[in-house]
Amino acid sequence: MINIVIFGPPGAGKGTQAKILADKYHLVHLSTGDILRAEIAARTESGLRAKEIMDRGELVSDQIVIDMLASKLESDARGYIFDGFPRTIAQAEALDELMDTYNTSITLMLSLEVPEIELITRIFIRGKDSGRPDDRNEDVIRNRIVQYNRKTAPLIGYYSGQGKHYSITGTGGIEEINQRLCQAIESGIHA
Ligand code: ADP
């Protein structure tokens, strides 16, 4: 079983690449951003509470996100690609425990590196047709990057400590970036 964490700041291309990798390696793609947006669309209580937080570019509470993610795990999956999760050390610890209960573990963490100026441009362009309110306001976009640097970037140390962190250049064409990710996966699997 291969379990991948695809990692990086907002706008790094996690979702785009996760979809391609999920198809190629037959993984279940779990995006906490997508799960939260589905909860908002369904107007559930936790979705509506999360919406206000997401619209400000802050992080939704660990417990809500961990519970949502746990409910999506399947006993017969061939592996997962986690996209947008974990985003805090507490979430990473919870994920390790969840994987353990399914007798598996995170195989590797692929970290997409993209300069901040390019992130902002990419998110703005996406915001023109994504329909996401958090992609349309520059202050919110900047706050998401601040939150990433403060709360999420420390996960690089967490996964490096476990020998699972791979740094990937996240600029260039989608196909080119995908090839870099596949190379890291092949070397990670056989490490
Ligand atoms: P991006 O990576 O471009 O910011 P996402 O769809 O991954 O897009 O996340 C959108 C928003 O959803 C985040 O800004 C945050 O408010 C919320 N969110 C998504 N995943 C998590 C998570 N694991 N923990 C807390 N909040 C999350």
mmCIF file of all heavy atoms in Angstrom, residues 131-165:
data_model
loop_
_atom_site.group_PDB
_atom_site.id
_atom_site.type_symbol
_atom_site.label_atom_id
_atom_site.label_comp_id
_atom_site.label_asym_id
_atom_site.label_seq_id
_atom_site.Cartn_x
_atom_site.Cartn_y
_atom_site.Cartn_z
ATOM 1 N N GLY A 131 -14.844 29.891 -8.547
ATOM 2 C CA GLY A 131 -16.015 30.154 -7.706
ATOM 3 C C GLY A 131 -15.673 30.167 -6.225
ATOM 4 O O GLY A 131 -16.552 30.251 -5.372
ATOM 5 N N ARG A 132 -14.383 30.063 -5.890
ATOM 6 C CA ARG A 132 -13.994 30.048 -4.471
ATOM 7 C C ARG A 132 -13.790 31.467 -3.972
ATOM 8 O O ARG A 132 -12.904 32.175 -4.457
ATOM 9 C CB ARG A 132 -12.702 29.245 -4.292
ATOM 10 C CG ARG A 132 -12.916 27.759 -4.330
ATOM 11 C CD ARG A 132 -11.618 27.001 -4.253
ATOM 12 N NE ARG A 132 -10.780 27.395 -3.112
ATOM 13 C CZ ARG A 132 -9.657 26.771 -2.790
ATOM 14 N NH1 ARG A 132 -9.230 25.750 -3.506
ATOM 15 N NH2 ARG A 132 -8.958 27.181 -1.742
ATOM 16 N N PRO A 133 -14.555 31.891 -2.956
ATOM 17 C CA PRO A 133 -14.397 33.256 -2.437
ATOM 18 C C PRO A 133 -12.984 33.492 -1.908
ATOM 19 O O PRO A 133 -12.468 34.621 -1.993
ATOM 20 C CB PRO A 133 -15.419 33.348 -1.291
ATOM 21 C CG PRO A 133 -16.194 32.087 -1.289
ATOM 22 C CD PRO A 133 -15.583 31.122 -2.252
ATOM 23 N N ASP A 134 -12.328 32.431 -1.383
ATOM 24 C CA ASP A 134 -10.990 32.621 -0.801
ATOM 25 C C ASP A 134 -9.909 32.784 -1.873
ATOM 26 O O ASP A 134 -8.762 33.056 -1.553
ATOM 27 C CB ASP A 134 -10.635 31.482 0.174
ATOM 28 C CG ASP A 134 -10.617 30.103 -0.456
ATOM 29 O OD1 ASP A 134 -11.196 29.917 -1.549
ATOM 30 O OD2 ASP A 134 -10.018 29.186 0.160
ATOM 31 N N ASP A 135 -10.266 32.603 -3.148
ATOM 32 C CA ASP A 135 -9.308 32.800 -4.241
ATOM 33 C C ASP A 135 -9.422 34.199 -4.854
ATOM 34 O O ASP A 135 -8.724 34.519 -5.805
ATOM 35 C CB ASP A 135 -9.559 31.776 -5.363
ATOM 36 C CG ASP A 135 -9.001 30.392 -5.047
ATOM 37 O OD1 ASP A 135 -8.266 30.249 -4.048
ATOM 38 O OD2 ASP A 135 -9.304 29.456 -5.803
ATOM 39 N N ARG A 136 -10.355 35.022 -4.343
ATOM 40 C CA ARG A 136 -10.640 36.285 -5.036
ATOM 41 C C ARG A 136 -10.157 37.524 -4.301
ATOM 42 O O ARG A 136 -10.169 38.608 -4.847
ATOM 43 C CB ARG A 136 -12.156 36.416 -5.258
ATOM 44 C CG ARG A 136 -12.641 35.452 -6.322
ATOM 45 C CD ARG A 136 -14.153 35.438 -6.381
ATOM 46 N NE ARG A 136 -14.603 34.648 -7.504
ATOM 47 C CZ ARG A 136 -14.996 35.167 -8.665
ATOM 48 N NH1 ARG A 136 -14.996 36.457 -8.842
ATOM 49 N NH2 ARG A 136 -15.383 34.377 -9.640
ATOM 50 N N ASN A 137 -9.778 37.354 -3.060
ATOM 51 C CA ASN A 137 -9.427 38.516 -2.251
ATOM 52 C C ASN A 137 -7.950 38.448 -1.862
ATOM 53 O O ASN A 137 -7.511 37.467 -1.261
ATOM 54 C CB ASN A 137 -10.335 38.510 -1.008
ATOM 55 C CG ASN A 137 -10.018 39.605 -0.041
ATOM 56 O OD1 ASN A 137 -8.878 39.743 0.409
ATOM 57 N ND2 ASN A 137 -11.016 40.399 0.304
ATOM 58 N N GLU A 138 -7.200 39.477 -2.215
ATOM 59 C CA GLU A 138 -5.750 39.409 -2.009
ATOM 60 C C GLU A 138 -5.365 39.271 -0.536
ATOM 61 O O GLU A 138 -4.436 38.537 -0.191
ATOM 62 C CB GLU A 138 -5.054 40.623 -2.645
ATOM 63 C CG GLU A 138 -3.545 40.453 -2.565
ATOM 64 C CD GLU A 138 -2.744 41.419 -3.415
ATOM 65 O OE1 GLU A 138 -3.331 42.085 -4.293
ATOM 66 O OE2 GLU A 138 -1.532 41.501 -3.171
ATOM 67 N N ASP A 139 -6.098 39.946 0.362
ATOM 68 C CA ASP A 139 -5.773 39.840 1.797
ATOM 69 C C ASP A 139 -5.966 38.402 2.281
ATOM 70 O O ASP A 139 -5.183 37.892 3.092
ATOM 71 C CB ASP A 139 -6.675 40.772 2.636
ATOM 72 C CG ASP A 139 -6.295 42.233 2.426
ATOM 73 O OD1 ASP A 139 -5.168 42.491 1.972
ATOM 74 O OD2 ASP A 139 -7.149 43.105 2.689
ATOM 75 N N VAL A 140 -7.034 37.772 1.782
ATOM 76 C CA VAL A 140 -7.316 36.383 2.197
ATOM 77 C C VAL A 140 -6.235 35.449 1.650
ATOM 78 O O VAL A 140 -5.740 34.564 2.360
ATOM 79 C CB VAL A 140 -8.729 35.945 1.723
ATOM 80 C CG1 VAL A 140 -8.965 34.468 1.995
ATOM 81 C CG2 VAL A 140 -9.799 36.788 2.405
ATOM 82 N N ILE A 141 -5.842 35.666 0.411
ATOM 83 C CA ILE A 141 -4.789 34.825 -0.194
ATOM 84 C C ILE A 141 -3.507 34.975 0.628
ATOM 85 O O ILE A 141 -2.868 33.982 0.995
ATOM 86 C CB ILE A 141 -4.539 35.223 -1.669
ATOM 87 C CG1 ILE A 141 -5.792 34.939 -2.518
ATOM 88 C CG2 ILE A 141 -3.321 34.484 -2.237
ATOM 89 C CD1 ILE A 141 -5.727 35.493 -3.942
ATOM 90 N N ARG A 142 -3.174 36.224 0.968
ATOM 91 C CA ARG A 142 -1.946 36.446 1.752
ATOM 92 C C ARG A 142 -2.059 35.806 3.130
ATOM 93 O O ARG A 142 -1.108 35.234 3.638
ATOM 94 C CB ARG A 142 -1.653 37.948 1.893
ATOM 95 C CG ARG A 142 -1.142 38.545 0.601
ATOM 96 C CD ARG A 142 -0.586 39.959 0.787
ATOM 97 N NE ARG A 142 -0.264 40.523 -0.507
ATOM 98 C CZ ARG A 142 0.829 40.226 -1.214
ATOM 99 N NH1 ARG A 142 1.736 39.398 -0.724
ATOM 100 N NH2 ARG A 142 1.031 40.753 -2.400
ATOM 101 N N ASN A 143 -3.237 35.878 3.719
ATOM 102 C CA ASN A 143 -3.418 35.253 5.043
ATOM 103 C C ASN A 143 -3.242 33.743 4.971
ATOM 104 O O ASN A 143 -2.659 33.133 5.868
ATOM 105 C CB ASN A 143 -4.794 35.603 5.625
ATOM 106 C CG ASN A 143 -4.901 35.218 7.089
ATOM 107 O OD1 ASN A 143 -3.897 35.225 7.819
ATOM 108 N ND2 ASN A 143 -6.092 34.838 7.522
ATOM 109 N N ARG A 144 -3.729 33.124 3.877
ATOM 110 C CA ARG A 144 -3.547 31.669 3.728
ATOM 111 C C ARG A 144 -2.065 31.322 3.682
ATOM 112 O O ARG A 144 -1.639 30.315 4.253
ATOM 113 C CB ARG A 144 -4.263 31.175 2.465
ATOM 114 C CG ARG A 144 -5.771 31.096 2.679
ATOM 115 C CD ARG A 144 -6.540 31.196 1.395
ATOM 116 N NE ARG A 144 -6.297 30.100 0.488
ATOM 117 C CZ ARG A 144 -6.630 30.134 -0.817
ATOM 118 N NH1 ARG A 144 -7.201 31.210 -1.326
ATOM 119 N NH2 ARG A 144 -6.401 29.090 -1.571
ATOM 120 N N ILE A 145 -1.283 32.170 3.018
ATOM 121 C CA ILE A 145 0.161 31.900 2.937
ATOM 122 C C ILE A 145 0.817 32.105 4.311
ATOM 123 O O ILE A 145 1.673 31.324 4.724
ATOM 124 C CB ILE A 145 0.809 32.755 1.823
ATOM 125 C CG1 ILE A 145 0.222 32.308 0.469
ATOM 126 C CG2 ILE A 145 2.328 32.622 1.833
ATOM 127 C CD1 ILE A 145 0.625 33.157 -0.724
ATOM 128 N N VAL A 146 0.356 33.129 5.043
ATOM 129 C CA VAL A 146 0.872 33.354 6.411
ATOM 130 C C VAL A 146 0.571 32.131 7.290
ATOM 131 O O VAL A 146 1.434 31.625 8.010
ATOM 132 C CB VAL A 146 0.256 34.640 7.028
ATOM 133 C CG1 VAL A 146 0.527 34.721 8.524
ATOM 134 C CG2 VAL A 146 0.774 35.886 6.315
ATOM 135 N N GLN A 147 -0.677 31.656 7.207
ATOM 136 C CA GLN A 147 -1.071 30.478 8.006
ATOM 137 C C GLN A 147 -0.217 29.261 7.636
ATOM 138 O O GLN A 147 0.195 28.484 8.492
ATOM 139 C CB GLN A 147 -2.555 30.117 7.783
ATOM 140 C CG GLN A 147 -3.544 31.198 8.170
ATOM 141 C CD GLN A 147 -3.479 31.541 9.633
ATOM 142 O OE1 GLN A 147 -3.359 30.673 10.492
ATOM 143 N NE2 GLN A 147 -3.537 32.814 9.937
ATOM 144 N N TYR A 148 0.030 29.133 6.332
ATOM 145 C CA TYR A 148 0.861 28.015 5.857
ATOM 146 C C TYR A 148 2.249 28.101 6.487
ATOM 147 O O TYR A 148 2.754 27.126 7.044
ATOM 148 C CB TYR A 148 0.967 28.028 4.318
ATOM 149 C CG TYR A 148 2.029 27.066 3.827
ATOM 150 C CD1 TYR A 148 1.737 25.702 3.701
ATOM 151 C CD2 TYR A 148 3.331 27.487 3.560
ATOM 152 C CE1 TYR A 148 2.715 24.801 3.311
ATOM 153 C CE2 TYR A 148 4.319 26.590 3.175
ATOM 154 C CZ TYR A 148 4.004 25.249 3.046
ATOM 155 O OH TYR A 148 4.980 24.353 2.676
ATOM 156 N N ASN A 149 2.870 29.287 6.386
ATOM 157 C CA ASN A 149 4.238 29.422 6.900
ATOM 158 C C ASN A 149 4.298 29.172 8.398
ATOM 159 O O ASN A 149 5.234 28.563 8.904
ATOM 160 C CB ASN A 149 4.801 30.806 6.563
ATOM 161 C CG ASN A 149 5.120 30.926 5.085
ATOM 162 O OD1 ASN A 149 5.494 29.948 4.438
ATOM 163 N ND2 ASN A 149 4.939 32.119 4.527
ATOM 164 N N ARG A 150 3.246 29.615 9.108
ATOM 165 C CA ARG A 150 3.253 29.529 10.567
ATOM 166 C C ARG A 150 2.925 28.112 11.057
ATOM 167 O O ARG A 150 3.595 27.578 11.923
ATOM 168 C CB ARG A 150 2.222 30.530 11.092
ATOM 169 C CG ARG A 150 2.379 30.879 12.543
ATOM 170 C CD ARG A 150 1.369 31.943 12.951
ATOM 171 N NE ARG A 150 1.657 33.255 12.382
ATOM 172 C CZ ARG A 150 0.768 34.248 12.280
ATOM 173 N NH1 ARG A 150 -0.485 34.065 12.708
ATOM 174 N NH2 ARG A 150 1.108 35.399 11.784
ATOM 175 N N LYS A 151 1.852 27.537 10.507
ATOM 176 C CA LYS A 151 1.330 26.292 11.094
ATOM 177 C C LYS A 151 1.625 25.043 10.278
ATOM 178 O O LYS A 151 1.676 23.952 10.828
ATOM 179 C CB LYS A 151 -0.191 26.406 11.253
ATOM 180 C CG LYS A 151 -0.585 27.522 12.202
ATOM 181 C CD LYS A 151 -2.077 27.693 12.277
ATOM 182 C CE LYS A 151 -2.461 28.859 13.174
ATOM 183 N NZ LYS A 151 -3.803 29.338 12.897
ATOM 184 N N THR A 152 1.776 25.195 8.966
ATOM 185 C CA THR A 152 1.869 24.008 8.108
ATOM 186 C C THR A 152 3.312 23.690 7.730
ATOM 187 O O THR A 152 3.710 22.517 7.742
ATOM 188 C CB THR A 152 0.991 24.201 6.847
ATOM 189 O OG1 THR A 152 -0.325 24.574 7.274
ATOM 190 C CG2 THR A 152 0.905 22.931 6.026
ATOM 191 N N ALA A 153 4.110 24.726 7.419
ATOM 192 C CA ALA A 153 5.498 24.476 7.011
ATOM 193 C C ALA A 153 6.284 23.632 8.032
ATOM 194 O O ALA A 153 7.134 22.828 7.622
ATOM 195 C CB ALA A 153 6.204 25.801 6.713
ATOM 196 N N PRO A 154 6.014 23.741 9.346
ATOM 197 C CA PRO A 154 6.758 22.888 10.291
ATOM 198 C C PRO A 154 6.606 21.384 10.035
ATOM 199 O O PRO A 154 7.403 20.583 10.524
ATOM 200 C CB PRO A 154 6.164 23.267 11.664
ATOM 201 C CG PRO A 154 5.674 24.667 11.482
ATOM 202 C CD PRO A 154 5.186 24.743 10.059
ATOM 203 N N LEU A 155 5.626 21.008 9.231
ATOM 204 C CA LEU A 155 5.465 19.583 8.931
ATOM 205 C C LEU A 155 6.620 19.042 8.090
ATOM 206 O O LEU A 155 6.842 17.827 8.061
ATOM 207 C CB LEU A 155 4.150 19.334 8.187
ATOM 208 C CG LEU A 155 2.905 19.553 9.039
ATOM 209 C CD1 LEU A 155 1.656 19.368 8.211
ATOM 210 C CD2 LEU A 155 2.903 18.573 10.190
ATOM 211 N N ILE A 156 7.338 19.942 7.415
ATOM 212 C CA ILE A 156 8.507 19.488 6.651
ATOM 213 C C ILE A 156 9.501 18.832 7.626
ATOM 214 O O ILE A 156 10.035 17.764 7.352
ATOM 215 C CB ILE A 156 9.141 20.666 5.873
ATOM 216 C CG1 ILE A 156 8.161 21.104 4.774
ATOM 217 C CG2 ILE A 156 10.506 20.277 5.285
ATOM 218 C CD1 ILE A 156 8.549 22.365 4.038
ATOM 219 N N GLY A 157 9.688 19.464 8.779
ATOM 220 C CA GLY A 157 10.573 18.896 9.803
ATOM 221 C C GLY A 157 10.015 17.584 10.347
ATOM 222 O O GLY A 157 10.764 16.632 10.579
ATOM 223 N N TYR A 158 8.703 17.537 10.522
ATOM 224 C CA TYR A 158 8.053 16.324 11.057
ATOM 225 C C TYR A 158 8.339 15.127 10.141
ATOM 226 O O TYR A 158 8.748 14.059 10.595
ATOM 227 C CB TYR A 158 6.544 16.586 11.162
ATOM 228 C CG TYR A 158 5.740 15.443 11.744
ATOM 229 C CD1 TYR A 158 5.584 15.319 13.124
ATOM 230 C CD2 TYR A 158 5.127 14.499 10.925
ATOM 231 C CE1 TYR A 158 4.833 14.282 13.662
ATOM 232 C CE2 TYR A 158 4.383 13.467 11.454
ATOM 233 C CZ TYR A 158 4.225 13.359 12.825
ATOM 234 O OH TYR A 158 3.491 12.325 13.357
ATOM 235 N N TYR A 159 8.115 15.323 8.823
ATOM 236 C CA TYR A 159 8.308 14.198 7.899
ATOM 237 C C TYR A 159 9.779 13.962 7.574
ATOM 238 O O TYR A 159 10.164 12.818 7.304
ATOM 239 C CB TYR A 159 7.467 14.388 6.628
ATOM 240 C CG TYR A 159 5.998 14.151 6.899
ATOM 241 C CD1 TYR A 159 5.106 15.210 7.040
ATOM 242 C CD2 TYR A 159 5.508 12.855 7.054
ATOM 243 C CE1 TYR A 159 3.764 14.992 7.313
ATOM 244 C CE2 TYR A 159 4.164 12.621 7.329
ATOM 245 C CZ TYR A 159 3.300 13.693 7.447
ATOM 246 O OH TYR A 159 1.976 13.461 7.731
ATOM 247 N N SER A 160 10.609 15.010 7.611
ATOM 248 C CA SER A 160 12.056 14.794 7.427
ATOM 249 C C SER A 160 12.569 13.894 8.545
ATOM 250 O O SER A 160 13.375 13.003 8.310
ATOM 251 C CB SER A 160 12.850 16.093 7.504
ATOM 252 O OG SER A 160 12.427 16.971 6.527
ATOM 253 N N GLY A 161 12.080 14.146 9.752
ATOM 254 C CA GLY A 161 12.487 13.347 10.913
ATOM 255 C C GLY A 161 12.158 11.872 10.736
ATOM 256 O O GLY A 161 12.819 11.005 11.301
ATOM 257 N N GLN A 162 11.116 11.605 9.942
ATOM 258 C CA GLN A 162 10.741 10.203 9.685
ATOM 259 C C GLN A 162 11.400 9.689 8.394
ATOM 260 O O GLN A 162 11.109 8.575 7.948
ATOM 261 C CB GLN A 162 9.225 10.079 9.548
ATOM 262 C CG GLN A 162 8.450 10.448 10.803
ATOM 263 C CD GLN A 162 6.940 10.162 10.647
ATOM 264 O OE1 GLN A 162 6.474 9.695 9.610
ATOM 265 N NE2 GLN A 162 6.181 10.429 11.687
ATOM 266 N N GLY A 163 12.251 10.537 7.773
ATOM 267 C CA GLY A 163 12.917 10.133 6.519
ATOM 268 C C GLY A 163 11.970 10.016 5.341
ATOM 269 O O GLY A 163 12.222 9.278 4.387
ATOM 270 N N LYS A 164 10.854 10.791 5.359
ATOM 271 C CA LYS A 164 9.833 10.620 4.316
ATOM 272 C C LYS A 164 9.648 11.842 3.428
ATOM 273 O O LYS A 164 8.791 11.843 2.560
ATOM 274 C CB LYS A 164 8.494 10.287 4.983
ATOM 275 C CG LYS A 164 8.505 8.952 5.695
ATOM 276 C CD LYS A 164 7.203 8.690 6.421
ATOM 277 C CE LYS A 164 7.264 7.335 7.106
ATOM 278 N NZ LYS A 164 6.106 7.120 7.995
ATOM 279 N N HIS A 165 10.417 12.892 3.680
ATOM 280 C CA HIS A 165 10.191 14.158 2.978
ATOM 281 C C HIS A 165 10.969 14.244 1.661
ATOM 282 O O HIS A 165 12.174 14.000 1.637
ATOM 283 C CB HIS A 165 10.602 15.314 3.908
ATOM 284 C CG HIS A 165 10.755 16.625 3.204
ATOM 285 N ND1 HIS A 165 11.978 17.226 3.006
ATOM 286 C CD2 HIS A 165 9.848 17.440 2.632
ATOM 287 C CE1 HIS A 165 11.811 18.360 2.356
ATOM 288 N NE2 HIS A 165 10.529 18.513 2.111
#
